[in-house]
Amino acid sequence: MKLPAHLRSTLTGIEYPFERLEEFADSGESLEVVLPGIENARPRPGSRIWDRFAEFMPFEEAHPELSLGEGSTPLVDAGPALKGFTGLENLLLKNETANPTWSFKDRGSIACSIMAVERGERITATISTGNMGQSMAAYGARAGLEVIVFLPAFAPREKVLSMAVHGATVVRVACADYADMKMSVLGLASSLGLRIVSGNGPIRVEGYKMEAFEIFEAMGGELPDFIVVPTSACGHVRGIFKGFRELRAAGLVSRLPRMVIAQAAANSPIASAIRMGSREIVPFRDFTTIAEALTSGRPPGGEEILDKALEFGWLAEDATEEEILEAQALYARSGFFVEPGTATTLPALRKLTASGAIQPQSRVVVMLTGSGMKDIEVLGRQEMKILDCDQDDLEWKIGTFISKTHPHRGGMAVN
Ligand SMILES: Cc1ncc(COP(=O)(O)O)c(C=O)c1O
């Protein structure tokens, strides 16, 4: 029998009920789910990761009826080009773009759906400029929930439509600063009696834990040395690390991997602080970056991550706009089509191996968090081979192209 879970503030340890609507402690700290008896939790047989690790979850049941098929994503060898670029011999990619709405957010969204269904909440809300809103809209549709997504009025139209198509109500809020708007929307939870989930809320984090369990299973109980996570609100990195900590608490592993934070140089409040060994976030404002998914210039509750970085020896690096574009192309030429935010990981890793912070033989897993399909516009800045021709000059044009690019290939010559 599982004992009931509760929430605890991550820096000062103040306890709150599990049902709390607000995403953060009264002090503004992040909240974390505490699972009494986690030392005795054990994986059990089951076809879904959620069934196998049900004892590690705070919910009454695994709720397969709310699933859209998230998780069980591939953990694949990165291939020679990416290994060569980063200088790493043991580089694996956890491809979260294989989730139903093409990002890791789906794991957090099913956790939020389960929470709403088990509590009998009919409406759920979120604040998002992209992946989280789309994911919550899809999972809300599956669970029969009314979903409200708040986003800044300047969010691109295709992002609004990809949420609204699932039946969510999209509220476009006129605002000058997204971080300010986020705080005022989150502040409405208790007056509206509405659960408004954010990127660093305690329930989403429970969903992200599954990635740690999947890596543990896929590596046969071994652990990587480093896990590289493109970071914004910090919920994702917190969730993966919590999963490994719980595996350790349950006696299933004896050590923890070190986390590596990757951010865009234009907006790097967490990476800059970690590199300086600081416990204080200096906000970034008025930035522009092609890494649009990494929007948090002032991540609420992010100080906890700086604390963990110091305690557990985490690393951090950033990537310039040019480096991000180059990395997106490199990923794509290796078969992985990721969005620019995800592409921050390659330059960050390359810098860390070049400086000796990560050894060439280290076992490293990079989280491919979001699909390149989410931001088609940026592809206009990538070099591509696109030829135009008429039906009449098709043979001549392609023949010329092939003989120029592969002059010594075998097979028939084109006249
Ligand atoms: C594709 C992608 N990667 C990374 C992140 C950062 O995750 P987090 O906000 O949990 O730090 C996001 C967040 O929106 C995202 O959409």
Side-chain angles (χ1 to χ4, degrees):
M1 249 284 280
K2 274 201 291 191
L3 294 169
H6 59 271
L7 301 178
R8 188 163 58 203
S9 66
T10 47
L11 295 175
T12 53
I14 296 177
E15 303 207 335
Y16 294 89
F18 181 58
E19 298 71 22
R20 179 179 169 87
L21 276 184
E22 292 85 353
E23 290 273 278
F24 296 92
D26 297 336
S27 59
E29 291 164 53
S30 324
L31 289 171
E32 185 162 272
V33 174
V34 180
L35 296 161
I38 190 75
E39 330 60 73
N40 304 319
R42 291 289 170 273
R44 59 189 195 197
S47 57
R48 293 169 69 242
I49 185 86
W50 284 81
D51 297 320
R52 293 197 292 281
F53 283 86
E55 290 185 17
F56 293 75
M57 298 309 285
F59 307 117
E60 286 157 27
E61 288 173 43
H63 290 277
E65 78 284 3
L66 302 180
S67 172
L68 293 172
E70 63 295 323
S72 303
T73 54
L75 181 67
V76 286
D77 186 275
L82 301 181
K83 288 180 179 173
F85 181 81
T86 53
L88 288 164
E89 294 158 22
N90 297 302
L91 182 61
L92 295 169
L93 307 177
K94 178 84 172 147
N95 192 354
E96 290 295 300
T97 75
N99 277 301
T101 74
W102 312 289
S103 86
F104 75 97
K105 296 280 186 182
D106 292 344
R107 299 174 184 271
S109 297
I110 189 170
C112 291
S113 285
I114 294 175
M115 184 74 180
V117 167
E118 288 195 350
R119 306 255 100 54
E121 296 165 5
R122 306 296 307 276
I123 312 179
T124 196
T126 188
I127 320 157
S128 168
T129 53
N131 288 326
M132 190 163 64
Q134 198 190 345
S135 177
M136 280 303 294
Y139 278 80
R142 174 66 184 217
L145 298 168
E146 175 78 44
V147 176
I148 302 174
V149 188
F150 296 93
L151 45 67
F154 55 74
R157 188 174 151 74
E158 65 274 11
K159 299 216 162 159
V160 175
L161 297 179
S162 66
M163 300 171 194
V165 73
H166 290 293
T169 301
V170 180
V171 183
R172 293 191 284 204
V173 185
C175 64
D177 182 81
Y178 179 50
D180 278 349
M181 174 220 146
K182 195 166 171 175
M183 292 317 290
S184 51
V185 170
L186 283 175
L188 297 175
S190 50
S191 61
L192 294 177
L194 182 63
R195 190 175 293 281
I196 306 175
V197 300
S198 75
N200 195 14
I203 306 303
R204 297 198 76 75
V205 162
E206 292 302 295
Y208 301 150
K209 277 174 15 184
M210 291 294 164
E211 289 166 79
F213 302 154
E214 286 180 17
I215 292 170
F216 165 75
E217 280 189 341
M219 294 182 74
E222 299 279 304
L223 292 185
D225 300 308
F226 295 95
I227 300 190
V228 188
V229 190
T231 296
S232 178
C234 302
H236 191 207
V237 67
R238 190 149 83 88
I240 299 168
F241 195 62
K242 186 170 192 269
F244 286 113
R245 273 168 48 225
E246 290 182 356
L247 288 174
R248 189 173 67 168
L252 297 173
V253 298
S254 56
R255 64 175 186 89
L256 297 170
R258 289 164 73 191
M259 309 306 279
V260 179
I261 306 280
Q263 294 198 301
N267 179 29
S268 52
I270 299 289
S272 304
I274 292 178
R275 280 190 313 203
M276 288 191 303
S278 165
R279 286 182 201 270
E280 199 185 319
I281 294 174
V282 177
F284 277 59
R285 297 172 205 273
D286 301 326
F287 53 82
T288 50
T289 170
I290 52 169
E292 268 185 17
L294 312 183
T295 47
S296 300
R298 276 178 282 158
E303 288 77 11
E304 177 224 350
I305 295 301
L306 305 186
D307 237 47
K308 289 222 163 61
L310 283 172
E311 186 180 348
F312 296 101
W314 293 5
L315 301 174
E317 255 306 343
D318 61 28
T320 64
E321 299 296 289
E322 293 71 31
E323 288 170 336
I324 295 171
L325 268 180
E326 183 197 6
Q328 188 190 33
L330 262 166
Y331 269 127
R333 301 292 157 93
S334 295
F336 303 97
F337 185 23
V338 298
E339 62 176 284
T342 304
T344 54
T345 47
L346 273 190
L349 251 185
R350 183 177 161 104
K351 288 173 196 177
L352 290 166
T353 43
S355 72
I358 297 182
Q359 303 300 310
Q361 309 78 17
S362 301
R363 283 191 300 183
V364 178
V365 172
V366 177
M367 309 306 297
L368 300 188
T369 49
S371 161
M373 289 302 288
K374 301 282 185 144
D375 184 0
I376 291 294
E377 210 179 297
V378 75
L379 300 181
R381 296 176 59 182
Q382 295 288 8
E383 243 178 64
M384 296 193 194
K385 287 178 279 199
I386 300 174
L387 303 180
D388 291 306
C389 64
D390 299 328
Q391 257 174 302
D392 296 343
D393 62 5
L394 195 56
E395 186 178 353
W396 177 81
K397 224 170 185 169
I398 302 303
T400 312
F401 169 74
I402 292 174
S403 50
K404 259 196 204 147
T405 50
H406 294 88
H408 306 301
R409 87 188 173 115
M412 261 172 47
V414 178
N415 296 318

